[in-house]
């Protein structure tokens, strides 16, 4: 039994590692694709060469990021067959189709038009090139949609039932649009855009701080700041709505995220623990710094709303507590810092501090953006940790337990593949840093001109 437990835990660690590594890349791919559509649209509308050169610079970073994302993502789907065979055998007739849709409808579409977007400037006209960029953006977003369809179904299985050990779909639309999907997809998509805004702002801010191509990068820095004005508060709003939804459909997850043991009595509110150290064996918090009634207010929007405690659920159905508790707070902390830096940036902008002549004086601001770029990645990973660890002990919530979905592998077999992934991903990340650093050191080509057909297609305004 201990042998099986070790193999199970190693498989979970392996999937967590490969997912955490892979998720570093798709959010920037999705966000940069949107940014590239905006840049090319502005270039075609105004004829301003700065937008064309911005497109060429950021599309180079997009290509490197996309390539590593593809390579790191392929092993994820194979693991459903190698490490989680019983799960795949049970739900594969729906779950496998969804992952297949992501590959055939999204990835293949994106790959086909990516070549035109990156290398087709001299081969197609401006309208066709712009269409290719739009299709790359659409396909990247569609890929995110199908992945969230699969994951949201694991959170709230719907549209069918288990019959003779196999999930039988009775309503495909209900299975695809599971209760968790709308807010989960919105939350993740906004995270992609927000992360991209802070990466663009961080890269631009460092260039400005170094005094390299200040006018060029001040424009992208302002664009990132303007985008953050919309995205950061909107993300907080959607996150709040998502928290309420999770409280309704996965109350045990909320109780674990908040280390909330006892259901609050009628007429009294549940306290929100700013920091705590839970003791699962004793079913209590060893210590906690709490704010009265806030948890009820967050989850129910009523200061005395009822929030079920962990003691309401059997021990075998409770998620781990420490990891989702602190990963959630780290995610929220980074998000709060983003809102603060966004507000600070806008304040300096309104005071005339973001001009070509004075932008380099804002050293602390530029460094804050530079720090929040990796912080955004941390927030995305912590969000997924909260989401996935909080789903335990289920692979498909309330339907298939994690221990029942694992393949009959030995700890040695899984340990060997885990070690292989660690080595391979370390090398892959090193290559990513090398090529991305090389591209950033080179910087934009401020003398680059578009092909004549594209210059003729742009409307000078």
């Amino acid at each position: 039994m201990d042998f099986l437990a070790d193999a199970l835990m190693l498989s979970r660690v392996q999937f967590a590692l490969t997912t955490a590594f892979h998720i570093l890349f798709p959010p920037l791919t999705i966000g940069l694709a949107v940014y590239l559509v905006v840049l090319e649209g502005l270039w075609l509308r105004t004829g301003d060469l700065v937008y064309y050169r911005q497109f060429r610079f950021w599309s180079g970073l997009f290509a490197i990021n996309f390539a590593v994302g593809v390579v790191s993502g392929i092993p994820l789907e194979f693991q459903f067959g190698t490490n989680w065979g019983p799960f795949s055998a049970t739900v594969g007739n729906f779950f496998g189709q969804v992952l297949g849709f992501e590959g055939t409808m999204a990835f293949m579409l994106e790959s086909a038009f990516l070549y035109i977007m990156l290398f087709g400037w001299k081969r197609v006209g401006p309208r066709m090139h712009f269409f290719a960029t739009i299709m790359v953006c659409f396909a990247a977003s569609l890929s995110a949609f199908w992945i969230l369809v699969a994951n949201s179904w694991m959170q709230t299985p719907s549209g069918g039932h288990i019959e003779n050990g196999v999930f039988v779909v009775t309503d495909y639309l209900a299975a695809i649009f599971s209760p968790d999907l709308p807010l989960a997809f919105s939350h993740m998509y906004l995270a992609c855009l927000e992360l991209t805004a802070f990466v663009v702002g961080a890269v631009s801010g460092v260039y400005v701080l170094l005094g390299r191509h200040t006018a060029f990068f001040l424009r992208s820095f302002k664009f990132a700041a303007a985008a953050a004005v919309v995205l950061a508060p909107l993300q907080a709003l959607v996150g709040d709505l998502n928290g309420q939804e999770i409280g309704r459909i996965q109350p045990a997850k909320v109780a674990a995220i908040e280390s909330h043991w006892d259901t609050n009595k009628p007429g009294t509110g549940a306290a929100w623990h700013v920091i705590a150290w839970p003791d699962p064996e004793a079913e209590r918090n060893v210590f906690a710094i709490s704010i009265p009634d806030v948890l009820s207010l967050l989850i129910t929007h009523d200061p005395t709303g009822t929030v079920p405690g962990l003691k309401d659920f059997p021990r075998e159905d409770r998620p781990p507590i420490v990891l989702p508790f602190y990963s959630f707070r780290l995610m929220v902390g980074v998000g709060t810092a983003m809102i603060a830096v966004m507000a600070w940036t806008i304040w300096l902008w309104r005071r005339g501090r973001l001009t070509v002549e004075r932008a380099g004086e804002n050293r602390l601001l530029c460094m804050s953006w530079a720090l929040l770029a990796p912080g955004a990645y941390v927030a995305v990973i912590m969000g997924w940790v909260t989401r996935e660890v909080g789903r335990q002990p289920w692979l498909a919530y309330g339907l298939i337990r994690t221990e029942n979905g694992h393949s009959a592998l030995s700890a040695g077999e899984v340990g060997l593949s885990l070690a292989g992934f660690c080595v391979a991903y370390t090398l892959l990340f090193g290559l990513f840093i090398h090529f991305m650093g090389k591209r950033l050191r080179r910087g934009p080509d401020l003398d680059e001109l578009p092909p004549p057909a594209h210059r003729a297609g742009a409307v000078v305004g």
Side-chain angles (χ1 to χ4, degrees):
M1 195 68 182
D2 291 338
F3 175 79
L4 290 175
D6 288 342
L8 172 62
M9 182 56 66
L10 285 171
S11 286
R12 292 176 63 187
V13 170
Q14 177 176 291
F15 201 87
L17 171 71
T18 52
T19 301
F21 184 82
H22 173 65
I23 207 173
L24 295 173
F25 305 101
L28 187 60
T29 296
I30 293 165
L32 276 182
V34 174
Y35 187 40
L36 291 175
V37 169
V38 173
L39 289 174
E40 188 165 5
L42 289 171
W43 149 242
L44 292 174
R45 182 179 178 84
T46 67
D48 188 341
L49 285 172
V50 172
Y51 292 120
Y52 169 76
R53 290 162 183 158
Q54 289 265 358
F55 181 97
R56 296 304 295 262
F57 174 76
W58 294 107
S59 63
L61 303 184
F62 174 92
I64 298 169
N65 191 80
F66 174 82
V68 179
V70 170
V71 174
S72 63
I74 292 173
L76 285 176
E77 295 190 11
F78 281 105
Q79 286 180 76
F80 285 111
T82 57
N83 295 64
W84 306 100
F87 170 74
S88 298
T90 302
V91 304
N93 58 346
F94 171 72
F95 197 79
Q97 287 182 19
V98 171
L99 296 180
F101 290 157
E102 189 272 335
T104 55
M105 293 174 62
F107 174 68
M108 296 302 293
L109 181 67
E110 186 176 16
S111 301
F113 283 97
L114 180 65
Y115 180 84
I116 300 174
M117 187 187 83
L118 294 176
F119 307 111
W121 286 97
K122 296 181 180 179
R123 293 176 171 83
V124 299
R127 291 184 180 180
M128 183 61 205
H129 191 277
F130 187 41
F131 177 74
T133 304
I134 291 172
M135 293 306 292
V136 168
C137 176
F138 170 71
S141 300
L142 186 61
S143 177
F145 171 77
W146 284 118
I147 293 300
L148 263 296
V149 165
N151 185 265
S152 291
W153 184 86
M154 293 172 71
Q155 303 287 338
T156 51
S158 54
H161 60 274
I162 299 287
E163 186 177 310
N164 297 323
V166 176
F167 182 76
V168 178
V169 180
T170 56
D171 187 338
Y172 266 94
L173 284 179
I176 291 172
F177 295 97
S178 61
D180 181 69
L181 178 66
L183 286 171
F185 176 72
S186 301
H187 195 45
M188 187 62 205
Y189 197 78
L190 285 170
C192 296
L193 299 181
E194 190 176 10
L195 178 145
T196 302
F198 275 86
V199 169
V200 170
V203 171
S204 302
V206 170
Y207 271 103
V208 169
L209 193 61
L210 296 174
R212 291 185 60 191
H213 315 301
T214 301
F216 181 90
F217 282 105
L218 187 58
R219 187 175 297 201
S220 54
F221 181 80
K222 289 180 176 179
F223 188 95
V229 168
V230 178
L231 295 172
L234 185 59
Q235 178 70 307
L237 173 62
V238 172
D240 175 65
L241 295 173
N242 197 29
Q244 293 177 61
E245 181 71 4
I246 293 171
R248 185 180 67 82
I249 61 180
Q250 292 179 317
K253 177 187 284 189
V254 167
I257 290 172
E258 303 300 346
S259 194
H260 176 59
W261 292 99
D262 297 293
T263 301
N264 52 303
K265 297 178 181 178
T268 63
W272 181 69
H273 305 310
V274 180
I275 188 170
W277 190 256
D279 183 348
E281 293 300 319
E283 297 185 316
R284 67 185 183 91
N285 295 321
V286 176
F287 75 91
I289 300 174
S290 309
I291 305 176
D293 304 336
V294 170
L295 181 58
S296 290
L297 193 62
L298 289 172
I299 300 302
T300 68
H301 282 194
D302 179 348
T304 59
T306 300
V307 182
L310 281 164
K311 292 180 182 179
D312 286 7
F313 305 95
R315 282 180 178 266
E316 64 271 17
D317 291 343
R318 297 175 190 173
I321 304 167
V322 175
L323 195 54
F325 180 86
Y326 281 101
S327 60
F328 175 75
R329 277 150 182 77
L330 184 54
M331 177 189 69
V332 171
V334 172
T336 303
M338 286 177 165
I339 293 175
V341 169
M342 173 272 295
W344 180 24
T345 304
I346 298 304
W347 180 72
L348 290 175
W349 192 351
R350 288 177 59 86
R351 289 175 62 87
R353 295 281 298 276
L354 296 184
T355 61
V356 174
E357 296 77 19
R358 302 191 63 189
E361 300 172 3
N362 302 301
R363 180 178 180 83
L364 187 57
L365 177 69
C366 293
M367 292 303 297
S368 297
W369 277 82
L371 289 173
L372 278 178
Y377 285 100
V378 170
V380 169
I381 293 173
M382 290 301 100
W384 274 97
V385 168
T386 303
R387 180 175 172 84
E388 299 308 300
V389 176
R391 191 189 65 235
Q392 299 302 317
W394 306 96
L395 273 176
Y397 194 77
L399 198 66
I400 304 172
R401 289 186 179 272
T402 303
E403 60 188 11
N404 296 331
H406 185 247
S407 300
L409 298 170
S410 69
E413 290 170 327
V414 182
L416 184 62
S417 66
L418 175 59
F421 275 120
C422 289
V423 172
Y425 280 9
T426 299
L427 294 173
L428 187 59
F429 189 68
L431 289 172
F432 171 77
I433 294 297
H434 170 74
F435 286 109
M436 193 66 83
K438 184 177 179 180
R439 184 69 184 89
L440 290 171
R441 285 192 298 271
R442 189 172 70 206
D445 184 353
L446 300 186
D447 297 319
E448 186 174 19
L449 293 174
H454 288 262
R455 275 179 274 172
V459 179
V460 180

